[in-house]
């Protein structure tokens, strides 16, 4: 749900700035003629290198003189005009603030070369770039700005950032992003008239938030865009209530085993599949690594008939639970034992959509915290394996053990099993592999609990 914006030529109208300030300057000071009016950069518009070489300068001499000419232009009041006081395109503020309000992560990636200098000029250039955003009503944190010395590094940075959409104006970058499967919106200018709309590229002429919405819908698909919006909105809400995770960690002090198995930086969807021992299980798991997971939960919570707070008779707690589940975009599930006509197709469709777009889904495949007498596990439904196979998602097994049975109060052990993908495995083979991980995890948890009882609580 990240959206990346280039700076010059996207947020600012770089073409206009060059027309107003650069053309007349180079014509008057150096008597140069416009050679390539469709070019973007000053050196290309006047074809400075070739002009100097034709005047008899060597390649090295021409390059040095060109740099001096450009520095004379930029290291002046024009630098202040360009990097701080230059106004954004009309509609930029409204569009970006609208995306921020929806919960999307906004990043600025720019190859303003001066910003990468490790000196006073570099510090000023970086500071002015950030202040320019603020002066134009776009308030982003410093961590949301990424500076690159050239377009090659910027291109690599955008690709590594995995945005759902990127905004750029340079033809070469737009086409390279397309080649790497990055959905891109190109802001039209005199320098990119040959860029054409494709399945990964859309073109806009004005920064209108309704036009941007339309273009994003074309690039991503209506259902996928809605999914990204729901993810953005639910993560925004999750971050607001994330202090609950801190409280839970203080109360239950979860012991985490094999945290090295926690999946990091994966573009594919992830299905977290724990055993189920307590209604607080999903909150405990999220408290361990504080990332939002869309859990499948029983329908009665969504109907306001039950509470996760251990009191299903309190209407206030039931209503709070209901509202939280809806805002976190959980999936309501009905069991056949509760409703013989249960139909979970809509929730399964939504799970598919979230996984397809690379988000996190959590499923308690046992379906209940109750187990048969003498059994450590309930019966795991294989639906999560079908979802994983269909969407090429990762399965992250998790084994939970609350230590009440060992007479150790308010303690829980969370064991992350080694993640896997179904790929060529059959569903039965996948379930066998999953259960082996669960059984191994439970044995490890019990060994830890026994040591805690024998030697005292392990912190």
């Amino acid at each position: 749900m990240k959206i990346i914006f280039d700076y010059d030529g996207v947020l600012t109208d770089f073409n206009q700035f060059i027309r107003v300030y650069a053309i007349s300057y180079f014509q008057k000071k150096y008597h140069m003629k416009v050679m390539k009016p469709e070019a973007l950069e000053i050196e290309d518009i006047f074809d400075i290198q070739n002009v100097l070489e034709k005047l008899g300068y060597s390649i090295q001499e021409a390059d040095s003189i060109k740099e001096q000419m450009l520095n004379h232009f930029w290291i002046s009041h024009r630098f202040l005009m360009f990097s701080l006081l230059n106004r954004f395109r009309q509609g930029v503020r409204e569009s970006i603030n609208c995306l921020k309000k929806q919960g999307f992560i906004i990043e600025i990636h720019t190859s303003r070369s001066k910003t990468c200098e490790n000196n006073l000029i570099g510090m000023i250039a970086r500071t002015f770039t950030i202040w320019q955003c603020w002066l134009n009503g776009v308030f982003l944190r410093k961590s949301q700005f990424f500076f690159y010395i050239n377009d090659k590094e910027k291109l690599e940075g955008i690709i590594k950032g995995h945005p759902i959409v990127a905004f750029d104006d340079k033809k070469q970058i737009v086409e390279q992003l397309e080649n790497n499967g990055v959905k891109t919106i190109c802001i039209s200018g005199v320098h990119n008239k040959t860029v054409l709309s494709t399945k990964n590229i859309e073109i806009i002429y004005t920064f209108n938030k309704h036009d941007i919405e339309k273009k994003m819908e074309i690039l991503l698909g209506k259902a996928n865009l809605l999914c990204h919006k729901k993810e953005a909105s639910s993560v925004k809400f999750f971050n607001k209530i994330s202090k609950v995770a801190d409280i839970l960690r203080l109360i239950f002090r979860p012991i985490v085993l094999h945290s090295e198995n926690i999946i990091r930086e994966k573009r594919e969807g992830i299905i977290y599949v724990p055993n189920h021992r307590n209604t607080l299980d999903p909150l405990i798991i999220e408290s361990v690594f504080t990332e939002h997971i869309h859990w499948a939960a029983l329908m009665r919570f969504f109907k306001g008939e039950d509470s996760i707070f251990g009191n299903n008779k309190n209407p206030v707690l039931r209503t709070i639970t209901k509202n939280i589940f809806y805002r976190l975009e959980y999936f309501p599930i009905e069991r056949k034992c509760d409703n013989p006509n249960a139909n979970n197709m809509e929730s399964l469709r939504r799970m598919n959509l979230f996984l397809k777009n690379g988000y996190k889904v959590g499923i308690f495949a046992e379906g209940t915290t109750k187990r048969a007498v003498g059994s450590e596990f309930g019966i795991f439904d294989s639906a999560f394996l079908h979802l994983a196979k269909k969407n090429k998602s990762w399965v992250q097994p998790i084994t939970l053990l609350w230590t009440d049975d060992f007479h150790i109060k308010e303690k829980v052990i969370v064991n992350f099993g080694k993640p896997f993908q179904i790929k060529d495995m059959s569903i039965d083979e996948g379930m066998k592999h999953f259960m082996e991980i669960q059984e191994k995890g439970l044995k490890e948890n019990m060994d830890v609990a026994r040591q805690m009882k024998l030697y005292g609580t392990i912190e």
Side-chain angles (χ1 to χ4, degrees):
M1 58 177 186
K2 182 189 298 180
I3 300 175
I4 291 177
F5 289 86
D6 176 41
Y7 208 99
D8 299 315
V10 174
L11 303 186
T12 65
D13 189 340
F14 188 74
N15 292 141
Q16 183 186 37
F17 184 88
I18 296 301
R19 284 195 305 270
V20 172
Y21 294 98
I23 302 294
S24 60
Y25 174 86
F26 279 84
Q27 286 175 334
K28 291 177 181 178
K29 187 172 181 64
Y30 301 107
H31 306 291
M32 303 201 80
K33 295 180 180 179
V34 173
M35 306 298 288
K36 299 177 182 178
E38 76 287 352
L40 177 65
E41 304 293 347
I42 297 172
E43 55 266 42
D44 297 324
I45 292 172
F46 293 100
D47 200 13
I48 298 176
Q49 182 78 23
N50 286 329
V51 169
L52 291 173
E53 287 179 27
K54 287 178 180 179
L55 290 174
Y57 295 101
S58 68
I59 294 175
Q60 292 78 13
E61 289 172 335
D63 187 63
S64 176
I65 294 170
K66 178 186 69 176
E67 288 303 312
Q68 290 177 24
M69 294 166 66
L70 292 171
N71 283 336
H72 284 157
F73 175 79
W74 286 115
I75 303 176
S76 66
H77 70 282
R78 284 173 290 274
F79 177 74
L80 179 67
M81 295 294 297
F82 171 73
S83 63
L84 181 62
L85 303 178
N86 195 23
R87 301 295 299 170
F88 281 178
R89 293 177 186 271
Q90 186 176 358
V92 165
R93 181 186 64 186
E94 293 77 11
S95 298
I96 291 183
N97 288 340
C98 179
L99 293 170
K100 282 176 58 184
K101 189 175 181 180
Q102 290 173 350
F104 287 105
I105 298 170
I106 304 298
E107 289 183 357
I108 305 295
H109 289 235
T110 177
S111 55
R112 285 183 171 181
S113 59
K114 296 295 182 186
T115 61
C116 295
E117 293 185 9
N118 190 25
N119 53 30
L120 180 62
I121 290 177
M123 185 194 71
I124 292 173
R126 291 188 295 273
T127 303
F128 277 13
T129 300
I130 296 170
W131 285 359
Q132 185 179 20
C133 260
W134 296 352
L135 288 172
N136 280 277
V138 177
F139 297 97
L140 303 175
R141 296 185 300 274
K142 293 181 181 179
S143 60
Q144 292 173 272
F145 290 83
F146 294 79
F147 301 102
Y148 305 93
I149 196 166
N150 55 44
D151 285 343
K152 181 177 181 293
E153 291 189 6
K154 187 185 83 169
L155 177 65
E156 292 173 356
I158 294 173
I159 294 170
K160 288 179 182 177
H162 304 308
I164 60 169
V165 173
F167 287 71
D168 211 288
D169 66 304
K170 290 187 180 178
K171 182 176 186 291
Q172 183 180 3
I173 292 179
V174 169
E175 292 176 348
Q176 284 296 316
L177 289 173
E178 178 190 29
N179 293 338
N180 284 275
V182 179
K183 307 290 186 183
T184 307
I185 293 179
C186 177
I187 289 72
S188 180
V190 296
H191 58 291
N192 59 26
K193 294 297 185 184
T194 57
V195 174
L196 302 175
S197 296
T198 67
K199 68 175 183 179
N200 283 335
I201 299 173
E202 280 294 323
I203 299 169
I204 59 173
Y205 301 91
T206 60
F207 236 98
N208 180 287
K209 64 181 181 181
H210 300 295
D211 290 343
I212 289 173
E213 172 95 6
K214 185 83 172 174
K215 297 297 184 181
M216 288 176 62
E217 186 176 302
I218 293 171
L219 285 172
L220 300 169
K222 190 173 183 178
N224 292 327
L225 178 57
L226 181 61
C227 177
H228 290 305
K229 285 184 176 182
K230 287 182 178 295
E231 171 72 6
S233 175
S234 61
V235 169
K236 186 177 181 180
F237 178 68
F238 173 79
N239 291 336
K240 286 182 179 179
I241 63 172
S242 60
K243 290 295 181 184
V244 174
D246 298 332
I247 297 171
L248 287 173
R249 280 196 299 273
L250 287 172
I251 295 174
F252 297 105
R253 298 165 296 159
I255 295 172
V256 181
L257 304 181
H258 300 298
S259 60
E260 71 276 6
N261 287 331
I262 297 175
I263 298 176
R264 307 286 187 189
E265 299 300 323
K266 292 289 184 183
R267 290 190 69 185
E268 301 91 345
I270 305 170
I271 306 178
Y272 295 87
V273 191
N275 61 327
H276 205 7
R277 298 253 178 170
N278 190 298
T279 54
L280 290 175
D281 287 346
L283 298 180
I284 290 295
I285 291 169
E286 289 189 346
S287 76
V288 170
F289 57 107
T290 58
E291 290 187 27
H292 183 33
I293 301 171
H294 301 274
W295 292 99
L298 293 177
M299 179 66 80
R300 65 172 184 262
F301 291 108
F302 295 85
K303 291 182 175 179
E305 298 171 354
D306 204 347
S307 159
I308 59 171
F309 302 102
N311 186 344
N312 61 5
K313 294 183 179 180
N314 188 314
V316 174
L317 295 179
R318 296 201 307 262
T319 300
I320 290 173
T321 298
K322 171 185 172 180
N323 292 336
I324 288 175
F325 278 27
Y326 273 111
R327 294 198 64 180
L328 290 175
E329 292 293 336
Y330 284 3
F331 310 108
I333 296 292
E334 281 193 294
R335 299 177 298 190
K336 291 290 184 182
C337 60
D338 297 326
N339 178 9
N341 299 316
N343 184 342
N344 296 312
M345 290 305 297
E346 176 60 21
S347 288
L348 289 171
R349 184 194 67 78
R350 288 178 58 218
M351 288 183 204
N352 272 312
L353 194 59
F354 275 78
L355 290 170
K356 172 186 171 185
N357 283 290
Y359 297 127
K360 300 174 176 65
V361 169
I363 299 176
F364 291 98
E366 288 176 297
T368 179
T369 57
K370 297 177 181 178
R371 305 180 303 282
V373 177
S375 175
E376 294 297 343
F377 292 113
I379 298 173
F380 284 82
D381 189 284
S382 63
F384 73 94
L385 293 170
H386 290 278
L387 283 168
K389 196 174 185 72
K390 180 176 180 179
N391 294 284
K392 300 179 181 179
S393 302
W394 287 84
V395 175
Q396 172 79 77
I398 302 173
T399 313
L400 295 161
L401 179 67
W402 291 79
T403 56
D404 303 59
D405 293 343
F406 293 82
H407 305 290
I408 302 170
K409 290 186 66 177
E410 296 179 342
K411 201 74 173 177
V412 59
I413 303 170
V414 185
N415 193 335
F416 288 88
K418 190 171 182 179
F420 65 95
Q421 288 181 299
I422 301 295
K423 292 187 175 178
D424 297 328
M425 284 190 281
S426 68
I427 298 301
D428 288 341
E429 289 169 338
M431 182 60 79
K432 181 182 177 182
H433 181 68
F434 171 77
M435 289 308 302
E436 287 173 353
I437 295 173
Q438 283 285 5
E439 288 163 3
K440 178 184 176 183
L442 185 61
K443 182 180 182 302
E444 290 178 340
N445 291 359
M446 288 182 166
D447 287 343
V448 169
R450 292 189 186 99
Q451 290 179 41
M452 290 168 62
K453 186 175 182 181
L454 184 61
Y455 299 110
T457 300
I458 300 173
E459 294 295 342

